[in-house]
Amino acid sequence: MTADAAHDSRSPRAAATITHYDDEADVVVVGYGIAGASCAIEAAALGADVLVTERASAGGGTSANSGGLIYMGGGTALQTALGFEDTPEEMFKYLMAACGPAPDESLVAPFVEHSVDHFDWFIKQGVFFKEAFFPDAHEPETDESLTYSGSEDCHPFSTIAKPAPRGHCASVMGSKGAILMNSLIESAQRSGVRVRGDHLAERLITESDGRVVGVVLRHAGEEICVRARRGVALTAGGFIWNDEMLERHAPWLRRCKMKVGTENDDGSAIQMGIAVGAATIRMDSGDITLPIFPPVSLKQGLLVNANAQRFLNEDAYMGRWGEFSLLHQDGQAWLIVDEKSFGQTKNIPDLQVMAGETIQELEAEIGMPTGALQQTVAFYNEHAKHQRDPLFHKHPSHVRPLEHPPFGALDLRPEHSVYCGFTLGGLHIDSHGRVKTPGGEPIPGLHAAGRTTSGISKQGYSSGISLGDGSFFGRRAGQALARAKPV
Amino acid sequence: MTADAAHDSRSPRAAATITHYDDEADVVVVGYGIAGASCAIEAAALGADVLVTERASAGGGTSANSGGLIYMGGGTALQTALGFEDTPEEMFKYLMAACGPAPDESLVAPFVEHSVDHFDWFIKQGVFFKEAFFPDAHEPETDESLTYSGSEDCHPFSTIAKPAPRGHCASVMGSKGAILMNSLIESAQRSGVRVRGDHLAERLITESDGRVVGVVLRHAGEEICVRARRGVALTAGGFIWNDEMLERHAPWLRRCKMKVGTENDDGSAIQMGIAVGAATIRMDSGDITLPIFPPVSLKQGLLVNANAQRFLNEDAYMGRWGEFSLLHQDGQAWLIVDEKSFGQTKNIPDLQVMAGETIQELEAEIGMPTGALQQTVAFYNEHAKHQRDPLFHKHPSHVRPLEHPPFGALDLRPEHSVYCGFTLGGLHIDSHGRVKTPGGEPIPGLHAAGRTTSGISKQGYSSGISLGDGSFFGRRAGQALARAKPV
């Protein structure tokens, strides 16, 4: 729910300098998703008086609507209990390879180093994890709490780092994101964190030296000025709901019919940061997935472009499917299956399917150049007989010849299916959530976390990274703010 | 030459507010490449007192070192004289298709609408164009003044807009960029434009309301404050020489061994703009080419990736080769040729070549999966016999079977060859070169043009676009500044 529907998200979020305050706190947190809640809990735990402002009526935001996976590892208690070996070194290698191009090592390193503790922290907040592993990536269907949530066990990542499942989620049959956020919000309440719901943050308040000292809120048409003695944290989501920002920075994301986020992910917090001199980075990047995690049997299929060329191992993470299809193949993608793989499929995704009794017929039906798909399937089948995939190194367990008619082509073009996307670019932060200027200096009094920032993932994604880095750098921002000298 | 080599490009370029000025002018232009020169000429033509500041000893910059092509069309006098039909409509269709994703129509439309006049303007500045067409894209080898400089006559663009050559350049046997800039600088001198060489612009000067009213320069260790009565134009190039900005925004460009630009293309003007509240857009984009324009005979070859799959029609513009290879194939690219195509080649590019008596041998030599290249070549040859390329629609004139041994593979991987790159992202401007805030409002007193800005090209490129939009929006900025109310 938008607090102020008439608000024009395109207007400048210029910084304000004022003298009269309506409220004050040590730490003011803008946005009450996982980054904001984690920030508030940690700041309060260190004795700070914390005020959270949220434009919706209640907290939760996109985090509450999410699948609830948190990317953690390096040997968490849950990984260990379930018999999975993992080390910070392997987790680091995976993330540096999978979150590129050019992930920021200064963020990835602490995220990995403290990941085991971070898992324990969630338990302390009352989040319950069940010692049960969900074997079919990427999101548990029932109440399991651990799963492979990226491409850890797929080529090329399995050759770069020892695979381990790192997608952790609260154990619940229903909405895992909602139960997670309920736990964090209850923990924040126990810590004495104050919350102003239905308050839209409009502008940061700065002093003449540029220090951020408060926030101007709007509530029921009135302007409310809040002083932040120790500083402000911007944790109010990304900009997938701002068409103009998308068009300007990441036009490819506009092809996603489903925007992953609430309508409050309109970039306003990013714009507030920019207005006080913050740098933004990787504004072009985003996560793209199909709204289905393909059933295992469909990984036996062949992902091909308009020329019937394969372009990715089909066992890769869905975000990688989306990225490769939309960024690198202009969205021209089909999944070729046969009766055996399709017939084994439970929960067949809601996609348009073309069919043919032969590959030749199917190729003509799709409109591919004559012979192109026949050649691709023949080459694949020849090696698949020996469970080999010399081109893309799909795991042998998914490799077998496609030879059982009829054959089908699932239409994965974004105009014919529903891609889900959200933004990954945003404010440039350091490992304590301090917001940087383009010159690399921290802006005094201003921190940020979550999808208001560019975090662990610079483009390559695995499920759980946003809840993972949002909570981790949210906590770090809260700690730093609580310890900051009051002004 | 850098005026102040000790200057730390990473330091913030914060705006200054000062009271004492050492010099003043109506219009202060920062940077004396084609955008700055065009801006200065136009402002002076409207009666403004213009001061250009340049950190090098003399003007010219990257424009002077360039190939000198200016992208113009829609029926210029030169196009018409040489018998090429072109219209603004066709030029608009081409640019909107070739400069994406999502080119800014509000920039492309006036650029196209006034292109014929823009050509005439260059003649008025003393630039000499010879009525001679260079048929082999993309840069004239001798003194011709018109050529195809992009992918106008290649698939898919030839199906979208009627092809016409739009690369215009000054007629000279030597450096076309240098002669162009000489003409413009001489024209500026005739107009009474003042120039301060060896002056590094460090910061913009703003008034309390945010209006830009001057520039702080550094010269021989001294700070010099210059008042700009009507405003400032930032025309000081892009950021290909700033590794930190590249790593942050466009890490893929770091794989280019050759940086197209002078060392002054370090992003300082972009940072100065940001420091006064300017928005940046498309900071991830860049132009990438191999340092060779492949001789026509090599277009008979096959451009393939590590799995021996083709990914682009080989007659496409070199910038498209670079973009597709580096952005979409992670730089894994080879050009497969046979003795006939290679033997016909004049000026063989300086590239590593692997060879084999058969395609099978060559495939093994490169290390491609067994059978993959054989299959690709067999499929291509089968159709090439009939001069058809059903997969990528290369023009029939370049299509013939590769069947004359020995066969070769030119290594186009960026680590094994020399890619040339420059940045295309920068300040967000409107069609009068006014610099925008993230909220879309113009910053009073601040204009920009050239590669300090995001211009016509948002990623897709054709040679001549940077000199084209730099000069065009430079002129528009100069006109707007000369007409601005003085403060």
Side-chain angles (χ1 to χ4, degrees):
Chain A
M1 298 295 289
T2 308
D4 180 358
H7 176 79
D8 180 358
S9 69
R10 291 166 304 175
S11 68
R13 310 248 168 202
T17 310
I18 59 137
T19 49
H20 166 79
Y21 288 105
D22 303 292
D23 193 358
E24 66 176 78
D26 285 327
V27 177
V28 178
V29 179
V30 176
Y32 207 11
I34 195 167
S38 302
C39 177
I41 291 167
E42 290 293 85
L46 289 171
D49 170 34
V50 180
L51 173 68
V52 179
T53 75
E54 167 59 50
R55 64 200 278 188
S57 304
T62 299
S63 307
N65 297 336
S66 76
L69 285 170
I70 311 163
Y71 202 90
M72 298 183 288
T76 66
L78 186 62
Q79 287 179 313
T80 305
L82 289 167
F84 292 102
E85 273 184 37
D86 194 13
T87 65
E89 291 71 29
E90 298 302 321
M91 182 178 174
F92 179 79
K93 282 192 279 183
Y94 174 74
L95 289 175
M96 289 302 290
C99 294
D104 184 343
E105 193 174 325
S106 75
L107 297 184
V108 176
F111 179 76
V112 167
E113 183 187 347
H114 302 285
S115 193
V116 168
D117 291 343
H118 194 47
F119 174 77
D120 296 342
W121 179 84
F122 278 105
I123 293 177
K124 284 187 201 124
Q125 308 317 312
V127 180
F128 173 64
F129 298 93
K130 180 179 171 180
E131 287 183 9
F133 173 68
F134 180 72
D136 294 351
H138 300 275
E139 290 198 0
E141 282 167 10
T142 54
D143 65 348
E144 302 89 349
S145 283
L146 187 66
T147 189
Y148 282 96
S149 65
S151 296
E152 295 84 358
D153 53 351
C154 312
H155 187 84
F157 306 102
S158 57
T159 69
I160 293 167
K162 188 182 166 194
R166 301 195 184 97
H168 295 64
C169 61
S171 176
V172 66
M173 291 300 289
S175 168
K176 296 169 194 358
I179 200 79
L180 171 67
M181 285 309 299
N182 281 350
S183 298
L184 295 184
I185 287 170
E186 282 173 13
S187 173
Q189 281 175 335
R190 288 194 299 273
S191 311
V193 167
R194 290 184 292 138
V195 180
R196 280 180 179 261
D198 289 323
H199 281 65
L200 173 68
E202 290 196 330
R203 289 178 294 160
L204 293 169
I205 300 167
T206 54
E207 292 200 333
S208 57
D209 63 356
R211 170 177 289 275
V212 173
V213 294
V215 185
V216 179
L217 308 174
R218 186 163 294 276
H219 174 65
E222 299 293 316
E223 232 182 45
I224 293 165
C225 297
V226 180
R227 187 176 164 216
R229 285 183 297 260
R230 294 175 196 266
V232 173
L234 295 174
T235 54
F239 61 95
I240 193 67
W241 275 90
N242 185 321
D243 278 346
E244 195 179 343
M245 285 180 77
L246 285 186
E247 179 76 10
R248 197 180 294 173
H249 298 293
W252 66 295
L253 292 177
R254 295 198 68 184
R255 296 178 74 179
C256 297
K257 288 183 187 160
M258 189 180 289
K259 298 165 187 287
V260 178
T262 73
E263 65 197 45
N264 294 337
D265 286 290
D266 66 354
S268 56
I270 295 173
Q271 291 176 337
M272 285 167 63
I274 293 170
V276 298
T280 53
I281 59 171
R282 303 294 177 90
M283 293 291 279
D284 58 303
S285 61
D287 179 55
I288 296 278
T289 58
L290 285 170
I292 51 122
F293 293 106
V296 170
S297 59
L298 289 190
K299 295 180 182 175
Q300 297 170 7
L302 296 184
L303 184 59
V304 297
N305 64 21
N307 280 328
Q309 296 170 323
R310 291 174 69 208
F311 54 89
L312 184 68
N313 41 315
E314 293 81 3
D315 55 349
Y317 171 62
M318 284 305 296
R320 213 163 149 80
W321 282 42
E323 179 187 349
F324 273 63
S325 156
L326 210 54
L327 260 189
H328 301 312
Q329 303 293 338
D330 195 27
Q332 299 298 302
W334 289 262
L335 184 70
I336 308 300
V337 295
D338 69 357
E339 170 60 23
K340 189 169 170 187
S341 52
F342 201 65
Q344 290 172 356
T345 305
K346 291 176 294 187
N347 307 324
I348 292 175
D350 184 20
L351 291 165
Q352 295 178 39
V353 183
M354 277 165 283
E357 277 305 311
T358 62
I359 294 291
Q360 188 176 5
E361 255 185 52
L362 183 63
E363 171 184 272
E365 179 75 18
I366 306 170
M368 286 171 170
T370 305
L373 184 61
Q374 297 174 64
Q375 175 176 268
T376 293
V377 173
F379 187 92
Y380 177 78
N381 282 354
E382 188 186 319
H383 294 280
K385 283 176 202 157
H386 312 287
Q387 284 203 308
R388 291 181 59 245
D389 174 18
L391 297 195
F392 292 94
H393 310 282
K394 181 157 62 175
H395 193 277
S397 62
H398 304 297
V399 176
R400 63 156 190 81
L402 293 182
E403 52 194 4
H404 301 274
F407 301 94
L410 280 60
D411 193 338
L412 303 180
R413 292 174 293 179
E415 292 72 24
H416 298 251
S417 59
V418 180
Y419 279 59
C420 309
F422 60 91
T423 58
L424 289 167
L427 300 180
H428 192 194
I429 57 166
D430 71 11
S431 66
H432 297 283
R434 290 185 292 200
V435 176
K436 296 184 186 187
T437 66
E441 300 296 315
I443 295 173
L446 188 63
H447 288 64
R451 285 298 64 82
T452 297
T453 72
S454 167
I456 293 295
S457 164
K458 295 309 183 201
Q459 174 54 51
Y461 199 75
S462 302
S463 284
I465 282 185
S466 284
L467 295 188
D469 76 351
S471 55
F472 183 78
F473 294 108
R475 288 181 60 204
R476 290 207 143 200
Q479 292 161 4
L481 282 164
R483 289 173 179 139
K485 209 174 124 189
V487 288
Chain B
M1 300 296 288
T2 308
D4 180 358
H7 177 80
D8 180 358
S9 70
R10 290 166 306 175
S11 69
R13 310 244 167 205
T17 310
I18 59 139
T19 49
H20 166 79
Y21 289 105
D22 302 292
D23 194 359
E24 65 177 78
D26 285 328
V27 177
V28 177
V29 179
V30 176
Y32 208 11
I34 196 167
S38 303
C39 178
I41 291 167
E42 290 293 85
L46 290 171
D49 169 33
V50 181
L51 173 68
V52 178
T53 76
E54 166 60 49
R55 64 200 278 188
S57 303
T62 299
S63 306
N65 297 335
S66 77
L69 285 169
I70 311 163
Y71 202 92
M72 298 184 288
T76 65
L78 185 61
Q79 287 179 313
T80 305
L82 288 167
F84 292 101
E85 273 185 36
D86 194 12
T87 65
E89 291 70 30
E90 298 302 322
M91 181 179 175
F92 179 79
K93 282 192 279 182
Y94 174 75
L95 289 174
M96 290 302 290
C99 294
D104 184 343
E105 193 174 325
S106 76
L107 297 183
V108 177
F111 179 75
V112 167
E113 182 187 348
H114 302 286
S115 193
V116 168
D117 291 342
H118 194 45
F119 173 77
D120 297 341
W121 180 83
F122 278 105
I123 292 178
K124 283 186 201 126
Q125 308 318 311
V127 181
F128 173 64
F129 298 93
K130 179 178 172 181
E131 287 183 11
F133 173 68
F134 180 72
D136 293 351
H138 298 275
E139 291 199 1
E141 282 166 10
T142 54
D143 66 348
E144 301 89 350
S145 283
L146 187 67
T147 188
Y148 281 96
S149 65
S151 295
E152 295 84 357
D153 53 351
C154 311
H155 187 85
F157 305 102
S158 57
T159 69
I160 294 168
K162 188 183 167 192
R166 301 194 185 97
H168 294 64
C169 60
S171 176
V172 66
M173 290 299 289
S175 167
K176 296 169 194 355
I179 200 78
L180 172 67
M181 285 309 300
N182 281 351
S183 298
L184 295 184
I185 287 171
E186 281 173 13
S187 173
Q189 282 175 334
R190 286 194 301 272
S191 310
V193 167
R194 289 185 292 138
V195 180
R196 280 180 179 261
D198 289 323
H199 280 65
L200 173 67
E202 289 196 332
R203 289 177 294 161
L204 292 168
I205 301 168
T206 54
E207 291 200 334
S208 57
D209 63 356
R211 169 177 290 274
V212 173
V213 293
V215 186
V216 179
L217 308 174
R218 187 163 294 276
H219 174 65
E222 299 292 316
E223 231 182 46
I224 294 165
C225 297
V226 180
R227 187 174 166 218
R229 286 183 296 259
R230 294 175 195 265
V232 173
L234 295 174
T235 54
F239 60 96
I240 192 67
W241 275 90
N242 186 320
D243 278 347
E244 195 179 343
M245 284 180 78
L246 285 186
E247 178 75 9
R248 196 180 294 173
H249 298 293
W252 66 297
L253 292 177
R254 294 198 67 185
R255 297 177 74 178
C256 297
K257 288 182 188 161
M258 188 180 289
K259 297 165 186 290
V260 178
T262 73
E263 65 196 43
N264 293 338
D265 285 290
D266 66 355
S268 56
I270 296 173
Q271 292 176 338
M272 285 167 63
I274 294 170
V276 298
T280 53
I281 59 170
R282 303 293 178 91
M283 292 292 279
D284 57 303
S285 62
D287 179 55
I288 296 277
T289 58
L290 285 170
I292 50 121
F293 293 107
V296 169
S297 59
L298 289 189
K299 295 181 183 176
Q300 296 172 8
L302 295 184
L303 184 60
V304 297
N305 64 20
N307 280 327
Q309 296 170 323
R310 291 174 70 207
F311 53 89
L312 184 67
N313 41 316
E314 292 82 3
D315 55 349
Y317 172 62
M318 285 303 296
R320 212 163 150 80
W321 281 42
E323 178 187 350
F324 273 62
S325 156
L326 209 55
L327 260 188
H328 301 312
Q329 303 293 338
D330 194 29
Q332 300 297 303
W334 290 262
L335 184 70
I336 308 300
V337 296
D338 68 358
E339 170 61 23
K340 188 168 171 188
S341 50
F342 201 65
Q344 290 173 356
T345 304
K346 291 176 294 186
N347 307 323
I348 291 176
D350 183 20
L351 291 165
Q352 295 178 38
V353 183
M354 278 165 283
E357 276 306 311
T358 62
I359 293 291
Q360 190 176 5
E361 256 185 51
L362 183 61
E363 172 183 272
E365 179 75 17
I366 306 171
M368 286 173 170
T370 305
L373 185 60
Q374 297 174 63
Q375 175 177 266
T376 293
V377 173
F379 188 92
Y380 177 79
N381 282 353
E382 188 187 318
H383 294 280
K385 284 176 202 155
H386 311 288
Q387 283 203 309
R388 290 182 58 245
D389 175 16
L391 297 195
F392 292 94
H393 310 283
K394 180 159 61 176
H395 193 277
S397 62
H398 305 298
V399 176
R400 63 156 189 81
L402 292 182
E403 53 193 5
H404 300 275
F407 301 94
L410 281 60
D411 194 337
L412 303 181
R413 291 174 295 179
E415 292 72 25
H416 298 252
S417 59
V418 180
Y419 280 59
C420 310
F422 59 91
T423 58
L424 288 167
L427 300 180
H428 192 194
I429 57 166
D430 71 10
S431 66
H432 297 283
R434 290 185 293 200
V435 176
K436 295 184 185 187
T437 66
E441 300 296 316
I443 296 173
L446 188 62
H447 288 63
R451 286 297 66 81
T452 297
T453 72
S454 168
I456 293 295
S457 165
K458 295 309 185 200
Q459 174 55 51
Y461 199 75
S462 302
S463 284
I465 282 185
S466 284
L467 295 188
D469 75 351
S471 55
F472 183 77
F473 294 108
R475 287 180 61 202
R476 289 207 145 201
Q479 291 160 4
L481 282 163
R483 288 172 181 141
K485 209 174 123 190
V487 288

